[in-house]
Amino acid sequence: MTDHTEKKIDRAVLVGLNAGCLSREENASDSSMEELSALLETAGGVCVGTVLQNKDTPDSRTFIGEGKVAEVKELVQGMGATMVIFDNALSPSQQRVLSDELGVSVLDRSALILDIFAQRARTKEGRLQVELAQYQYLLPRLLGMWTHLERQEGAIGTRGPGETQLETDRRHIHRKIQKLREDLEQVRRVRATQRSRREKNEVPVVAIVGYTNAGKSTLLNALTGADIPANDRLFDTLDTTTRTLEISDTCTVLISDTVGFISKLPHHLVEAFKATLEELSFADLLLHVIDSSNPEWREQAAVVESLIHELGASETPRIDVFNKCDRYHGDILPHGEDIVTVSARTGEGLDRLRSMIGDRLDAGAHRVTLSLPYDKGGLLDVLYQEAKVESVEYGETILVTAVCTSRLLGQMEEYLLDR
């Protein structure tokens, strides 16, 4: 039997406010509204109308003012919209008032991003982080829904059940948040154990960061041969992926893709994802991938710079990787000592990028042959743990060919046959 049911597509009117008293990040603009429309498409919805309001100050009750609310309501009804999404952050009370007056669901940019993250999370860790951020977003809005009961505290008809339900919901969410934080702390401990093992083995770590849709996953695929889905849409990759990258015979690194950044990224979402993003502060090198084909690349790069600083990774060595150079529209490509232009799609510039990574991370390792007496066989275990063992032959002695760091060579010097 054929199922003819079709998934309902949400039709949304997008609304933004540009006010003189708000900061540049808090305001809506033509470019941020275009990005909001792309976010909506990523979430599976369709934009049926856009309203960008210019106003000196936000209205405390409706954010955009009564007249503009009436205009938006008319657009909603005329276009058959099922929701209204604001590019700006709304307070819980504003969200409630607007939903009542417009007669449809009202979200802000943070709620839309959370919805996308909820769809994209695949690993247990990713789902934990998204769920924590969702509960932190919900909690003040839950309280807002019950404000009318709190104001009438003690009035006839409001004693007991209403307040009890509010307290029950609050306690339930607080318990969930605490449990999720404990689970994520366990994730941090596991990561710390993995990190200490990498440090013991002296394996350098490279973290790829960048604005969403800058081409981070495509770059990881191109460098390592990984088969990560890389589509032209925002937040296509959410869960961190780590692969091994052979830079040279004596230099191997671990390279990790991270979740993309975006302007107006909800702060509690950054907090929730710190279990993943804290890897940035422990990385030996950052690759900041910038979409050079995007006219807004400077603004996008500034957003990433700010979040790198917030995550405590501003002192980590970095290479700025200007991706999509085959689609660059300027006269002169960006250039400099810590800058490389590449096209992850065509492969242009990747050899130079590998060379730059090697220049910064090759710890002076050497391929050597060691002759170990059998009574020193325990040193073979050390080599397996701390070096890259390529071959072992058992004869009069144990002949080992391995790639060793300078520090390890100091311990093995008396057994060296050659360098």
Side-chain angles (χ1 to χ4, degrees), residues 29-269:
S29 63
D30 288 331
S31 61
S32 71
M33 293 295 285
E34 287 177 14
E35 190 173 77
L36 186 67
S37 179
L39 285 168
L40 173 62
E41 184 180 340
T42 298
V46 60
C47 173
V48 296
T50 302
V51 176
L52 182 57
Q53 160 82 323
N54 291 302
K55 187 176 170 65
D56 291 336
T57 58
D59 183 85
S60 60
R61 181 171 179 271
T62 63
F63 194 68
I64 54 175
E66 300 291 344
K68 191 58 71 171
V69 169
E71 181 185 324
V72 172
K73 184 174 183 179
E74 188 175 329
L75 182 59
V76 166
Q77 293 173 341
M79 300 304 296
T82 55
M83 63 175 54
V84 172
I85 303 175
F86 277 73
D87 192 41
N88 317 76
L90 298 174
S91 71
S93 61
Q94 288 168 340
Q95 198 169 344
R96 189 178 68 254
V97 167
L98 285 164
S99 183
D100 289 344
E101 298 209 1
L102 295 173
V104 293
S105 174
V106 173
L107 307 177
D108 59 12
R109 176 183 270 245
S110 293
L112 181 59
I113 291 174
L114 283 170
D115 182 83
I116 294 168
F117 272 51
Q119 291 182 45
R120 291 280 178 272
R122 292 291 178 268
T123 64
K124 179 184 177 183
E125 176 188 350
R127 290 194 291 268
L128 283 172
Q129 291 170 128
V130 172
E131 191 177 354
L132 174 59
Q134 286 178 316
Y135 275 117
Q136 289 173 323
Y137 180 83
L138 172 64
L139 187 58
R141 283 152 182 80
L142 176 76
L143 302 181
M145 290 190 301
W146 290 93
T147 303
H148 63 292
L149 291 179
E150 289 181 321
R151 282 200 303 266
Q152 301 173 30
E153 187 173 349
I156 294 174
T158 65
R159 285 185 285 263
E163 292 163 8
T164 301
Q165 185 61 53
L166 169 61
E167 290 304 319
T168 299
D169 290 348
R170 286 175 66 180
R171 282 196 298 273
H172 173 70
I173 290 180
H174 278 299
R175 281 197 301 269
K176 288 289 292 183
I177 287 174
Q178 182 59 34
K179 177 66 167 62
L180 288 165
R181 282 178 172 157
E182 290 171 359
D183 290 345
L184 283 171
E185 188 56 40
Q186 176 61 27
V187 170
R188 276 197 173 93
R189 285 194 288 270
V190 171
R191 283 188 178 276
T193 301
Q194 294 170 340
R195 193 182 305 120
S196 64
R197 192 177 300 127
R198 289 200 305 261
E199 289 169 353
K200 181 180 178 182
N201 294 338
E202 297 187 355
V203 181
V205 176
V206 178
I208 302 177
V209 298
Y211 207 79
T212 183
N213 208 32
K216 298 182 301 302
S217 296
T218 305
L219 180 63
L220 183 63
N221 287 342
L223 286 172
T224 67
D227 191 23
I228 305 164
N231 301 304
D232 185 17
R233 60 184 181 184
L234 305 183
F235 296 121
D236 191 60
T237 304
L238 181 57
D239 298 308
T240 300
T241 303
T242 301
R243 294 289 185 270
T244 300
L245 173 61
E246 298 277 349
I247 298 295
S248 67
D249 288 345
T250 59
C251 182
T252 300
V253 304
L254 291 177
I255 184 165
S256 295
D257 186 16
T258 62
V259 63
F261 297 151
I262 196 168
S263 61
K264 306 179 187 177
L265 192 64
H267 181 72
H268 48 260
L269 195 55

Side-chain angles (χ1 to χ4, degrees), residues 354-419:
R354 288 189 188 93
S355 176
M356 291 175 72
I357 295 172
D359 289 344
R360 285 156 180 76
L361 296 181
D362 194 330
H366 303 274
R367 177 179 284 102
V368 295
T369 301
L370 299 159
S371 177
L372 302 178
Y374 279 92
D375 62 350
K376 298 293 183 183
L379 292 176
L380 186 57
D381 292 333
V382 175
L383 287 167
Y384 273 117
Q385 291 176 17
E386 301 189 24
K388 182 180 178 182
V389 176
E390 296 183 344
S391 67
V392 178
E393 293 181 20
Y394 294 90
E396 293 183 11
T397 61
I398 306 172
L399 290 178
V400 184
T401 301
V403 177
C404 303
T405 62
S406 298
R407 181 187 63 79
L408 186 57
L409 284 179
Q411 301 175 26
M412 303 282 181
E413 193 168 5
E414 63 180 290
Y415 308 110
L416 282 175
L417 286 185
D418 56 42
R419 278 194 177 223

Side-chain angles (χ1 to χ4, degrees), residues 246-316:
E246 298 277 349
I247 298 295
S248 67
D249 288 345
T250 59
C251 182
T252 300
V253 304
L254 291 177
I255 184 165
S256 295
D257 186 16
T258 62
V259 63
F261 297 151
I262 196 168
S263 61
K264 306 179 187 177
L265 192 64
H267 181 72
H268 48 260
L269 195 55
V270 176
E271 283 294 315
F273 271 76
K274 275 190 174 175
T276 298
L277 296 175
E278 71 177 2
E279 288 290 296
L280 300 187
S281 58
F282 291 99
D284 299 286
L285 179 69
L286 300 183
L287 301 184
H288 177 187
V289 180
I290 300 166
D291 180 358
S292 62
S293 70
N294 192 315
E296 304 279 334
W297 70 261
R298 290 176 180 81
E299 290 77 10
Q300 293 181 352
V303 170
V304 177
E305 292 274 357
S306 174
L307 285 165
I308 287 174
H309 179 75
E310 183 180 342
L311 292 163
S314 54
E315 298 301 316
T316 304

